[in-house]
Amino acid sequence: MTATIDAPVRTAPRLDSLGRLESEAIHIMREVAGEFDRPVILFSGGKDSTLLLHLAVKAFWPAPVPFPLLHVDTGHNFAEVIDFRDRMVERYGLRLVVANVQDWIDDGRLTERPDGTRNPLQTVPLLDTITEHRFDAVFGGGRRDEERARAKERIFSLRNAFGQWEPRRQRPELWNLYNGRHRPGEHVRVFPLSNWTELDVWRYIARENIELPSIYYAHERDVYSRDGMWLTEGPWGGPRDGETVLRKTVRYRTVGDGSCTGAVESEASTLDEVIAEVGASRLTERGATRADDRLSEAAMEDRKREGYF
Amino acid sequence: MGLLRFITCGSVDDGKSTLIGRLLYDTRQLHADQLATLTADSKRRGSDLDLSLLVDGLLAEREQGITIDVAYRYFATENRTFIVADTPGHEQYTRNMVTGASTADAAVILLDARKGVLRQTRRHSHIVSLLGIRRVALAVNKIDLVGYDQQTFDRIAEEYREFATSIGIDEVACIPVSALEGAGVATQAEREMPWYDGPTLLGWLENVAVEDERRSDPFRMIVQWVNRPDSEFRGVSGAILGGTVRPGDTVSVFPGEHKTTVSRVVTFDGDLDEAVAGQSVTVVLADDLDVSRGSVLAAGDPPAVADAAQADLIWMGEQEMLPGRRYLAKIGATTVGLTIEQPKHRLDVDTGARLAAKTLHLNEIGLGNVHFDQPVALDPYRANRDLGGFIVIDRLSNATVGAGLVRYPLRRSTNVQWQEMSVDKDKRAELNGHRGCVVWFTGLSGAGKSTIANLVEQRLYAQGRHTFTLDGDNVRHGLNKDLGFTDADRVENVRRVGEVAGLMVQAGLIVLVSFISPFRAERNLARGIVEDGEFCEVHVDTPLELAESRDPKGLYAKARRGELPNFTGIDSPYEAPEHPEVRVDTSALSAEEAADAVLARLHELGVC
């Protein structure tokens, strides 16, 4: 019998759920790179946009990410998040475009709201910046599991020249064929994480060991309670009369405007602990921590029509 | 942990939203705040706990109480994660069902036990089968309302099984459920239905075989992006749509069919020994071939490279399909021009009968031949969903107006070789002393097209040029006398005239075409038939009021009286050219001055 040397055969494992989601997101990003002239990634420093950036790095590696980042800065950001943003830009050699909501307030295009919340004010600076830079594809970290209105969102979501979402003009999306054609002035929002759930995001962050801003993990912080949320003092203001400041161990489940993003009491200081907590949680992330979603039953749908992410 | 994508479909009142709400509720996907919202919303609508409210997303449809779009839902058990495409049952919304089915591995078809198998049930099953879903669960809902009666269930199950088999669905599970009560969805209802010993719906979903066959298919990868950060590295990035690939494999690049070897399979996480269908990778090839976005890498049984195919078509546009119109098709990572022939037949999705059809309307399904304006690599849809499915895009609105599923490529197109003639266009141009060209006069009826065209022809004749005039009215008396004035017929009218004009240009003539030709897309089609520089579009621009006041043939008056339907300018649109070679405003210029302008432009174009 002749001895033969077989090359070792490693059969690839079946693609698991996270593998399929990752491949789908990369496929979507490459379609955008192939079909659009001026794409941009919306980057808030939150976990979803950080995940987007990570997927973009993987999609185009060894080439650099071929898109800039766009941050709509409410001026109400956590310092840790801005610091994190700047480090990511540095690490991956990216170009960063910042739209400062304060500039719009200063020159009168926007007026500060009585409650001081700036989340609803992001829409105008976002749309103005998209127009100014002629961005034709705008990546967002939106997921369909976040909210009822988002469950029907397309992966390529056409926005008219006013940045608005028109439910009736949304195109059917079949197979993995995305139609990104648009008229001048229109743009397309692209949501590579559409099919991810919050738990998928956390599991993937753990699997890939993705760095996040420190406020996602449990830390001690001075907080006060308002509308059932733990808010913290910052450039957006502080406690009102009768609101007591307490020292608590908390973490944030989302990163947004400090005036309406609440912390949750948590001891989860590692990724595994966060995942265990998310898996067991009885509150969805938006419900737990975003006051602006509670305004009305159809709050999200109204904002989408206006051109919010 | 694996992933299963499935769709749910049912009629408006079958309780589909409640069923999905039930799956979310029973698998504990609902959070405390969602439950609180649900309870509050339910109370407002006068119910204790209305699970359907979880699913019905958009405000409008919540008010109407029907689902009108595809919504995606997510839940997980310990064994699997699930993506549910919730697709509406309302008759008008076939396109949404097709959308949901295109990415699904399995389908749950819902019916009301009191009503049994309906038209809708058959319709949904036909679409599910057409889209290549082989595994179906029939959820016989509201079984509580027939007293959990076994005979009712058996009768429905038997009828459905027979039907499903007849349309090519291999695996059917019939499951009695009450979404409202929760019976048979996540938990067995042994007390109510001791006679049923099959799986619960959730049990079926957890165990149904996920399509894993793609891995044993021939290798296919679409190239989405060329990865070239520096002179050292050149890879092609894309998605594997079938089979597997390893370093050392011989692959061919389509179109072109150049063979090469895979030297590396690159990912951010390191090189792979093997990559499989479903993965997104970057491949480095041994040879520096012409590979770009839209190329297909393949091994094994090769894909076809064809510029025509027979395909099942699903129409999704508000405007009907226009045979002969130039659309775009996106297939894989390629977008090409597409024309569709008149359908061979239309499918009655309720009975499966084939009906005669001249076109396809919104939500209609038919079979027809399609032509791409360049060869593309494709597989039959049955062999590879991702390389056999394409979407149809309207060039003007950019909307996705249809979907196609390739049955087989047509090789006819490669057999009909264009006869190379030794006396060619250039030789005739030498002999004639001028080149051939189409001068296309477009504008409203009564704008003065024929008058100007006649003057231009007289002057060309005087200069010794070879000319011919194709006039709208004259052509309609002969070549096009079978055509009317519907949009579809107008497209065909223009196509024929464009082709005839093209042949005449081959013959070396200056062809003057005087045609209302109201649609931009069709004029561009005519332009595409001849070569660059051989088409001179003349927009005879006249305000409607002026044309109507002239009304040389009394047509506007007739149209205003409603005796001439689809009359351009009155009840059918005129799309003005955006960049015509010549624009003459007949409210400002005389016919002679207009003819001068056209002749000057022809001189500039180097025709004569």
Side-chain angles (χ1 to χ4, degrees):
Chain A
M1 191 175 144
T2 321
T4 54
I5 301 165
D6 288 324
V9 174
R10 196 179 83 186
T11 311
R14 235 175 76 167
L15 269 188
D16 65 0
S17 174
L18 288 179
R20 269 179 83 169
L21 292 171
E22 177 195 70
S23 284
E24 180 185 61
I26 288 177
H27 175 264
I28 291 163
M29 291 184 151
R30 288 170 174 174
E31 281 301 283
V32 170
E35 293 201 339
F36 290 83
D37 295 326
R38 301 172 73 86
V40 68
I41 300 176
L42 274 180
F43 189 79
S44 67
K47 68 177 193 315
D48 295 324
S49 58
T50 303
L51 173 52
L52 268 188
L53 177 58
H54 179 82
L55 288 164
V57 169
K58 292 187 89 164
F60 301 105
W61 192 86
V65 176
F67 323 122
L69 303 184
L70 168 59
H71 183 214
V72 181
D73 187 345
T74 60
H76 288 176
N77 280 296
F78 297 89
E80 296 90 331
V81 176
I82 297 295
D83 170 64
F84 173 79
R85 175 195 79 185
D86 294 341
R87 278 193 294 113
M88 290 299 119
V89 167
E90 175 83 27
R91 179 183 300 171
Y92 295 117
L94 301 167
R95 187 163 74 84
L96 173 71
V97 177
V98 179
N100 283 305
V101 172
Q102 189 66 48
D103 295 344
W104 272 256
I105 293 172
D106 289 347
D107 67 16
R109 280 177 286 175
L110 285 174
T111 314
E112 192 91 71
R113 290 162 54 99
D115 62 4
T117 296
R118 287 187 175 178
N119 250 14
L121 300 186
Q122 291 181 76
T123 305
V124 172
L126 172 67
L127 295 180
D128 287 352
T129 307
I130 288 171
T131 307
E132 184 197 338
H133 290 261
R134 292 184 290 119
F135 292 129
D136 53 2
V138 181
F139 286 104
R143 307 192 315 266
R144 289 172 177 153
D145 85 320
E146 283 178 75
E147 213 277 339
R148 271 188 296 210
R150 283 219 168 139
K152 308 198 169 191
E153 183 58 280
R154 304 295 193 266
I155 289 174
F156 274 37
S157 179
L158 183 71
R159 301 302 158 105
N160 65 19
F162 303 101
Q164 287 164 327
W165 182 70
E166 298 171 87
R168 293 278 168 190
R169 271 186 74 204
Q170 297 308 309
R171 299 161 176 170
E173 278 182 346
L174 293 98
W175 301 293
N176 51 18
L177 297 174
Y178 305 105
N179 175 1
R181 293 179 65 87
H182 58 281
R183 298 193 181 117
E186 294 178 339
H187 72 276
V188 176
R189 298 289 171 90
V190 182
F191 300 107
L193 307 183
S194 285
N195 286 322
W196 298 54
T197 62
E198 189 189 10
L199 198 53
D200 291 329
V201 170
W202 281 112
R203 284 194 182 124
Y204 186 79
I205 286 169
R207 188 178 99 172
E208 302 281 303
N209 203 14
I210 299 171
E211 183 188 344
L212 293 180
S214 55
I215 63 170
Y216 276 106
Y217 302 103
H219 57 284
E220 288 212 342
R221 185 179 282 271
D222 288 335
V223 292
Y224 54 92
S225 173
R226 182 182 297 166
D227 301 334
M229 289 187 306
W230 291 111
L231 298 180
T232 193
E233 189 171 337
W236 49 87
R240 297 174 190 146
D241 287 346
E243 290 175 338
T244 323
V245 174
L246 300 167
R247 188 92 182 153
K248 285 199 169 286
T249 304
V250 296
R251 66 178 200 88
Y252 288 86
R253 294 182 69 186
T254 64
V255 164
D257 181 300
S259 68
C260 65
T261 303
V264 290
E265 286 188 73
S266 169
E267 299 288 337
S269 57
T270 67
L271 260 173
D272 286 344
E273 287 167 11
V274 168
I275 290 170
E277 189 183 284
V278 171
S281 169
R282 305 315 299 152
L283 285 181
T284 59
E285 55 186 292
R286 283 193 167 263
T289 56
R290 289 281 184 92
D292 51 327
D293 283 341
R294 300 178 174 185
L295 297 176
S296 77
E297 189 183 324
M300 178 69 92
E301 192 176 329
D302 290 345
R303 281 196 321 208
K304 271 182 62 162
R305 281 177 197 272
E306 271 173 30
Y308 183 79
F309 320 161
Chain B
M1 194 163 64
L3 176 69
L4 182 80
R5 298 188 69 141
F6 69 97
I7 64 165
T8 57
C9 27
S11 309
V12 180
D13 302 321
D14 294 335
K16 180 160 49 72
S17 295
T18 308
L19 181 74
I20 297 169
R22 172 61 66 185
L23 281 169
L24 299 178
Y25 190 79
D26 285 0
T27 54
R28 307 195 193 310
Q29 304 301 310
L30 300 179
H31 297 290
D33 55 327
Q34 288 176 323
L35 273 176
T37 309
L38 174 65
T39 313
D41 287 358
S42 300
K43 287 239 164 66
R44 208 171 304 150
R45 287 166 175 76
S47 139
D48 284 343
L49 193 65
D50 184 349
L51 291 173
S52 72
L53 292 177
L54 285 171
V55 180
D56 291 342
L58 300 184
L59 266 188
E61 47 193 286
R62 295 178 71 182
E63 281 156 13
Q64 290 168 28
I66 54 164
T67 319
I68 55 170
D69 206 333
V70 194
Y72 295 89
R73 306 286 161 187
Y74 304 82
F75 67 96
T77 63
E78 286 184 2
N79 303 320
R80 257 188 192 165
T81 62
F82 299 92
I83 301 179
V84 192
D86 178 17
T87 61
H90 196 283
E91 223 170 312
Q92 286 181 41
Y93 293 91
T94 298
R95 73 173 158 195
N96 294 326
M97 224 208 100
V98 169
T99 305
S102 73
T103 51
D105 309 306
V108 174
I109 295 178
L110 204 66
L111 57 70
D112 184 333
R114 295 170 301 175
K115 296 177 185 159
V117 177
L118 297 178
R119 274 167 51 114
Q120 292 277 2
T121 320
R122 294 197 183 88
R123 170 180 296 251
H124 296 147
S125 306
H126 274 297
I127 295 171
V128 158
S129 165
L130 182 70
L131 270 288
I133 299 174
R134 298 278 157 270
R135 296 175 178 85
V136 172
L138 182 78
V140 181
N141 193 26
K142 307 196 184 183
I143 195 79
D144 52 319
L145 297 183
V146 296
Y148 298 100
D149 179 43
Q150 181 182 5
Q151 283 187 343
T152 307
F153 173 77
D154 286 347
R155 183 171 44 74
I156 293 170
E158 191 187 349
E159 182 185 352
Y160 185 75
R161 276 213 178 83
E162 193 177 318
F163 167 69
T165 310
S166 75
I167 61 166
I169 296 173
D170 306 333
E171 184 182 321
V172 179
C174 297
I175 304 170
V177 298
S178 167
L180 197 64
E181 303 295 331
V185 180
T187 48
Q188 289 285 9
E190 283 159 22
R191 197 166 50 80
E192 295 88 350
M193 295 182 283
W195 45 266
Y196 178 72
D197 57 4
T200 61
L201 183 60
L202 189 61
W204 183 81
L205 289 169
E206 283 192 296
N207 291 298
V208 65
V210 178
E211 299 280 346
D212 206 22
E213 298 100 62
R214 288 211 298 170
R215 168 193 285 255
S216 51
D217 287 345
F219 170 65
R220 299 285 188 267
M221 175 175 150
I222 50 162
V223 175
Q224 297 178 268
W225 194 72
V226 176
N227 195 326
R228 198 180 219 168
D230 50 46
S231 57
E232 296 296 303
F233 186 90
R234 185 174 196 266
V236 291
S237 298
I240 302 176
L241 306 181
T244 59
V245 65
R246 296 157 187 250
D249 283 359
T250 301
V251 297
S252 299
V253 179
F254 292 86
E257 228 172 317
H258 299 289
K259 276 197 167 35
T260 182
T261 308
V262 172
S263 44
R264 293 173 63 192
V265 179
V266 177
T267 73
F268 176 84
D269 301 306
D271 282 16
L272 301 182
D273 298 342
E274 183 184 52
V276 300
Q279 271 184 299
S280 289
V281 294
T282 296
V283 165
V284 178
L285 301 172
D287 302 291
D288 193 10
L289 297 176
D290 178 22
V291 186
S292 56
R293 177 170 169 81
S295 298
V296 174
L297 307 185
D301 194 14
V305 175
D307 61 4
Q310 187 167 107
D312 292 297
L313 296 159
I314 299 128
W315 202 249
M316 301 174 161
E318 301 288 336
Q319 196 193 5
E320 72 201 53
M321 178 184 103
L322 295 180
R325 187 178 194 127
R326 296 234 296 176
Y327 296 101
L328 295 170
K330 184 169 180 185
I331 184 163
T334 312
T335 303
V336 295
L338 171 85
T339 52
I340 306 171
E341 288 180 19
Q342 184 172 307
K344 295 182 184 303
H345 63 252
R346 175 168 80 75
L347 187 71
D348 180 332
V349 284
D350 299 328
T351 64
R354 297 168 175 193
L355 310 174
K358 281 198 153 182
T359 179
L360 293 175
H361 295 93
L362 176 63
N363 290 315
E364 286 184 345
I365 297 175
L367 180 70
N369 289 347
V370 298
H371 300 265
F372 306 108
D373 67 359
Q374 53 184 285
V376 289
L378 43 83
D379 277 320
Y381 185 80
R382 297 258 154 189
N384 190 317
R385 260 169 146 181
D386 292 310
L387 218 52
F390 59 90
I391 55 172
V392 183
I393 301 169
D394 187 272
R395 283 173 185 265
L396 288 180
S397 69
N398 291 326
T400 302
V401 292
L405 296 78
V406 172
R407 285 211 183 170
Y408 48 85
L410 293 174
R411 302 194 186 268
R412 196 161 52 203
S413 51
T414 49
N415 292 337
V416 184
Q417 291 289 338
W418 187 251
Q419 201 62 45
E420 279 298 332
M421 282 170 278
S422 48
V423 178
D424 63 11
K425 211 161 55 176
D426 292 340
K427 293 227 164 56
R428 293 192 197 96
E430 270 174 43
L431 186 68
N432 290 341
H434 64 86
R435 296 201 295 115
C437 145
V438 177
V439 188
W440 190 284
F441 294 83
T442 172
L444 296 170
S445 176
K449 298 183 296 296
S450 298
T451 310
I452 298 168
N454 277 336
L455 277 173
V456 170
E457 187 169 29
Q458 285 167 25
R459 300 216 187 146
L460 287 170
Y461 180 83
Q463 295 169 10
R465 315 298 183 194
H466 301 269
T467 61
F468 193 81
T469 296
L470 285 169
D471 179 85
D473 291 341
N474 296 342
V475 173
R476 278 194 178 274
H477 285 310
L479 177 65
N480 289 354
K481 71 177 170 192
D482 58 326
L483 299 177
F485 289 89
T486 63
D487 285 355
D489 280 355
R490 281 170 186 263
V491 171
E492 177 61 13
N493 189 29
V494 171
R495 189 191 69 80
R496 288 186 198 172
V497 170
E499 291 288 354
V500 170
L503 288 172
M504 289 183 171
V505 169
Q506 290 283 331
L509 302 182
I510 299 171
V511 191
L512 302 135
V513 180
S514 168
F515 251 59
I516 297 174
S517 46
F519 300 125
R520 215 169 280 147
E522 279 66 65
R523 293 193 302 268
N524 286 340
L525 177 130
R527 183 186 287 272
I529 291 167
V530 293
E531 289 179 31
D532 284 350
E534 290 180 347
F535 195 86
C536 176
E537 188 173 18
V538 181
H539 181 200
V540 184
D541 195 0
T542 304
L544 177 63
E545 309 78 63
L546 183 60
E548 191 168 356
S549 70
R550 289 178 189 155
D551 206 6
K553 301 167 199 160
L555 297 175
Y556 284 96
K558 269 193 181 174
R560 289 289 183 196
R561 290 198 300 271
E563 294 164 17
L564 267 185
N566 301 320
F567 193 76
T568 300
I570 304 299
D571 57 352
S572 181
Y574 178 78
E575 299 170 356
E578 282 168 334
H579 305 291
E581 274 73 12
V582 187
R583 182 190 305 278
V584 291
D585 178 354
T586 63
S587 63
L589 294 180
S590 69
E592 285 75 17
E593 287 167 327
D596 287 344
V598 174
L599 286 166
R601 191 78 176 97
L602 286 177
H603 189 65
E604 277 173 31
L605 291 170
V607 173
C608 54

